[in-house]
Amino acid sequence: MINSLYPLIRPFLFSLEGERAHEVTFSMLELANSLGMLGAHESRPEEGVTLMGLRFPNRVGLAAGLDKNARHIDALGALGFGFIEAGTVTAQPQAGNAKPRLFRLPEASALINRMGFPNEGAEVIAQRLAQRKFKGPCGINIGKNATTPLEDAARNYVECFRVVAPHADYVTVNVSSPNTTNLRQLQQVDQLRPILDALLEARVQLTSSSGKQLPILVKVSPDLSSDDLAAIARLVRELRIDGMIATNTTITRDVVKGVPNSEQQGGLSGAPIRALALQSIPVLREHLGKDVPLIAVGGIDSGAAAVAALQAGADLIQIYTGLIYRGPKLVTEILTAVRKS
């Protein structure tokens, strides 16, 4: 039912300011879930896959950014996702950048955001994770607080990791958002290495105390050169990091030049970045080898786009902007396309 209703509701939602529409959408989603209007898709056994020691009921996940504070994991899970990634979460609560900071580009089926990791902080979000009923893997995307200097980034990431790790199924290290000043510098191998080393040490302590071996992934930018992507992939393999996510949003605007709102600062997501995100997958796969899991995200707004990402070398896919424009039926469409491919 929710699949048929969303096209009727979308014009109203798109008449609202972006963040207000976000709040209203989640209110509707929670109501629909309470009324039993969700959960139309039941994953088939053959759709599942085991990666990083986790069982994914299917290959379609929700990308970080939509449920920053892990408030709606159960309702989102009822849409048919095989896994959900909440966040980005920081060690300390922060307000993010000044509003307005979320803009639609309907002509391009795209969004631009400069949110700046607004979230309620690791402690609050960890408590919500502990209460979830969603049975699929739930990852947490962690970032650096805006007030933390780059030279103190490793400590800040570890502080956040230690709080959320006991309640997450995997943790993604976000060093690729364009909306926190200088954050992308942390993708440079000489700066990324100490962060990952510190997180690996924190994981050893977690495993020692609880027995939990928590997968760690790294999320990268689509604006990196092939050489930079290869260097990060080699580092990931060297340190035995569990996986990678490609990609975050882009700061390039060539593909949306002249489209209303394209002049806004921030990260561009949606259909215009599909080709840019997709071309990173074979590069990363070449240097990761066959055994390091790779999650594709960026412009996946159809079954065909999802199949293309998997055929390019991804193991799983995530969606976000496509869900805003297409609605929940996108999940079902992708699952059908993947099953037939």
Side-chain angles (χ1 to χ4, degrees):
M1 184 179 296
I2 193 70
N3 287 354
S4 59
L5 285 177
Y6 187 77
L8 303 176
I9 299 169
R10 200 187 88 161
F12 162 69
L13 295 173
F14 275 40
S15 73
L16 303 175
E17 184 274 330
E19 287 193 66
R20 177 57 180 156
H22 191 84
E23 295 167 359
V24 171
T25 299
F26 272 127
S27 294
M28 291 180 175
L29 184 67
E30 291 289 351
L31 177 61
N33 192 39
S34 69
L35 295 175
M37 297 170 64
L38 308 181
H41 178 83
E42 291 289 339
S43 293
R44 303 180 182 183
E46 65 271 19
E47 291 178 328
V49 60
T50 299
L51 298 164
M52 305 179 292
L54 301 173
R55 184 63 181 174
F56 294 82
N58 64 63
R59 295 179 187 266
V60 184
L62 179 72
L66 194 69
D67 191 8
K68 295 181 182 298
N69 289 302
R71 287 179 173 272
H72 309 287
I73 292 171
D74 293 339
L76 287 164
L79 296 177
F81 287 107
F83 64 108
I84 289 173
E85 188 169 319
T88 297
V89 179
T90 53
Q92 302 302 319
Q94 62 180 33
N97 295 324
K99 298 180 181 182
R101 55 194 182 182
L102 179 62
F103 307 90
R104 302 185 195 91
L105 289 71
E107 294 89 341
S109 296
L111 298 174
I112 289 175
N113 91 82
R114 50 173 181 263
M115 303 294 288
F117 299 164
N119 73 100
E120 296 175 86
E123 292 283 358
V124 170
I125 289 159
Q127 292 174 15
R128 293 202 183 110
L129 289 174
Q131 297 169 359
R132 71 185 185 274
K133 297 178 182 178
F134 175 64
K135 299 301 183 184
C138 183
I140 293 296
N141 187 295
I142 64 173
K144 180 185 78 68
N145 278 108
T147 55
T148 300
L150 291 184
E151 57 268 24
D152 203 22
R155 179 202 59 79
N156 196 223
Y157 277 98
V158 168
E159 182 184 0
C160 187
F161 176 89
R162 285 178 172 152
V163 175
V164 300
H167 307 293
D169 293 310
Y170 70 84
V171 167
T172 299
V173 185
N174 188 345
V175 287
S176 51
S177 170
N179 301 318
T180 296
T181 304
N182 297 326
L183 183 79
R184 282 184 164 194
Q185 292 183 26
L186 299 177
Q187 293 179 108
Q188 298 171 18
V189 167
D190 62 336
Q191 297 200 48
L192 182 58
R193 182 186 292 273
I195 293 171
L196 297 180
D197 280 340
L199 288 168
L200 289 170
E201 177 58 32
R203 184 174 70 177
V204 168
Q205 296 170 11
L206 174 71
T207 303
S208 177
S209 63
S210 69
K212 185 173 185 177
Q213 184 73 17
L214 185 70
I216 296 174
L217 296 87
V218 177
K219 187 170 185 175
V220 294
S221 162
D223 300 327
L224 294 171
S225 68
S226 293
D227 287 345
D228 288 336
L229 287 170
I232 295 172
R234 288 193 295 267
L235 178 65
V236 163
R237 190 163 185 85
E238 174 194 341
L239 297 181
R240 298 186 178 182
I241 297 299
D242 300 274
M244 292 189 68
I245 300 180
T247 63
N248 215 316
T249 58
T250 180
I251 58 172
T252 62
R253 293 291 187 271
D254 293 346
V255 286
V256 291
K257 188 175 182 179
V259 175
N261 278 333
S262 62
E263 75 287 353
Q264 295 291 343
Q265 296 297 307
L268 174 70
S269 64
I273 79 162
R274 183 186 307 124
L276 189 61
L278 186 62
Q279 71 186 24
S280 71
I281 301 299
V283 176
L284 291 170
R285 177 53 68 206
E286 177 185 354
H287 294 279
L288 289 172
K290 295 180 179 180
D291 56 330
V292 179
L294 180 56
I295 302 176
V297 57
I300 299 176
D301 59 0
S302 67
V307 170
L310 294 172
Q311 291 177 341
D315 299 288
L316 303 169
I317 62 123
Q318 291 177 326
I319 61 174
Y320 176 176
T321 304
L323 187 67
I324 303 300
Y325 282 94
R326 297 285 315 282
K329 70 176 181 181
L330 177 60
V331 180
T332 306
E333 178 184 319
I334 291 174
L335 289 170
T336 301
V338 170
R339 191 184 310 129
K340 293 179 177 179
S341 65

